[in-house]
Amino acid sequence: MLSHFIRLFYPETCAACQALLLHQEFVICTRCRHELPQTMHHQQKDNEVVRKFYGRIPLVYGGALLYFHKKGGVQELIHHLKYKGQETIGTALGQWHGGVLQRNFPSPYPDFIIPVPLHPRKQQQRGFNQVDAYADALAERLTIPCLRSLLVRQLYSKTQTKKSILGRSEVVHEIFALRDAEAFHHKHFLLVDDVITTGSTLEACARELLKIPGAKISIACMAMSQ
């Protein structure tokens, strides 16, 4: 009853289109869930994400939930998540994508979910890692542990938003490192991030994880730049 009372005076709106949410809707309205551009990667074994990493890293599975277009609803979602601190957007996207993967991920499931880490200084400045809520929601839907201690970001870099593709590729080498990896031999890791652009950051994370004997890599992201 209290939540109904609060919603009466402080109605919640869709994070993508700002329309009022109905009682059963969470963060994203039903209309946007139907209209946001879905990639349908889960239906394509040889999809764009997998092809992007050909010759770079071997993937068991790769896929993103949505397409990212400038000035579109997905950009609005990611912007509010990343820069306005609306972490429930990550939760909503993780629940949505987790439901899709729950029905379509090739067996067996990964052993651990690993969100791409922020440098501690960047995380302190922002107050949170924008990928964490998404990773936690995926972990809950897929019943896979979320592991944050294994992969760390050891070099601080400024935002890559306005950098060229070449510039982004140049800054990722040796940014990441492993911690106490001995217990994780022969494990399958699902790397998760917000938006795939060049794939350089994910490649750097995967290359570090592949130093673990017998490691396998899959990738799942909220969106892919098109």
Side-chain angles (χ1 to χ4, degrees), residues 2-222:
L2 179 59
S3 63
H4 285 247
F5 182 80
I6 293 173
R7 286 175 70 109
L8 180 65
F9 290 97
Y10 301 97
E12 297 178 0
T13 59
C14 173
C17 72
Q18 312 312 314
L20 291 177
L21 291 176
L22 300 177
H23 174 64
Q24 70 273 21
E25 294 175 333
F26 176 63
V27 182
I28 304 170
C29 70
T30 303
R31 179 178 176 180
C32 282
R33 282 186 63 117
H34 285 292
E35 293 184 352
L36 289 172
Q38 298 183 55
T39 65
M40 309 307 290
H41 286 161
H42 58 280
Q43 296 180 357
Q44 310 155 29
K45 184 176 181 180
D46 187 31
N47 61 52
E48 299 154 290
V49 173
V50 174
R51 292 196 299 271
K52 180 176 280 291
F53 292 99
Y54 274 170
R56 299 165 70 181
I57 52 172
L59 292 180
V60 176
Y61 172 85
L65 176 65
L66 302 167
Y67 283 119
F68 181 97
H69 299 132
K70 287 187 176 180
K71 299 183 179 179
V74 178
Q75 183 186 42
E76 189 78 4
L77 290 173
I78 301 299
H79 178 82
H80 280 82
L81 166 62
K82 196 169 180 177
Y83 300 109
K84 306 273 185 183
Q86 296 183 18
E87 293 186 82
T88 52
I89 294 172
T91 300
L93 293 177
Q95 290 175 348
W96 184 359
H97 203 185
V100 170
L101 294 179
Q102 197 173 35
R103 298 184 296 272
N104 296 280
F105 203 99
S107 182
Y109 277 5
D111 298 294
F112 297 99
I113 290 175
I114 298 185
V116 170
L118 290 179
H119 187 274
R121 179 149 59 107
K122 175 69 72 65
Q123 183 152 339
Q124 186 177 29
Q125 290 170 350
R126 186 172 292 168
F128 65 103
N129 181 344
Q130 74 273 9
V131 186
D132 278 351
Y134 170 73
D136 287 337
L138 278 178
E140 183 177 357
R141 287 302 297 263
L142 299 175
T143 61
I144 299 171
C146 191
L147 182 63
R148 293 183 174 86
S149 59
L150 176 62
L151 186 68
V152 296
R153 196 166 194 140
Q154 60 182 357
L155 295 177
Y156 178 84
S157 62
K158 295 181 179 179
T159 181
Q160 298 190 50
T161 304
K162 296 183 180 180
K163 291 183 179 177
S164 67
I165 291 176
L166 180 60
R168 292 184 192 192
S169 300
E170 289 174 343
V171 299
V172 296
H173 299 296
E174 299 182 359
I175 283 183
F176 300 99
L178 298 173
R179 294 287 184 269
D180 301 320
E182 292 79 11
F184 299 99
H185 291 194
H186 304 284
K187 299 299 183 183
H188 180 185
F189 303 104
L190 177 60
L191 265 175
V192 302
D193 203 1
D194 49 10
V195 182
I196 301 176
T197 49
T198 66
S200 298
T201 300
L202 285 163
E203 180 183 356
C205 289
R207 285 185 179 279
E208 197 63 32
L209 290 169
L210 286 171
K211 293 177 181 178
I212 301 172
K216 295 180 180 178
I217 304 294
S218 290
I219 286 173
C221 293
M222 303 178 205

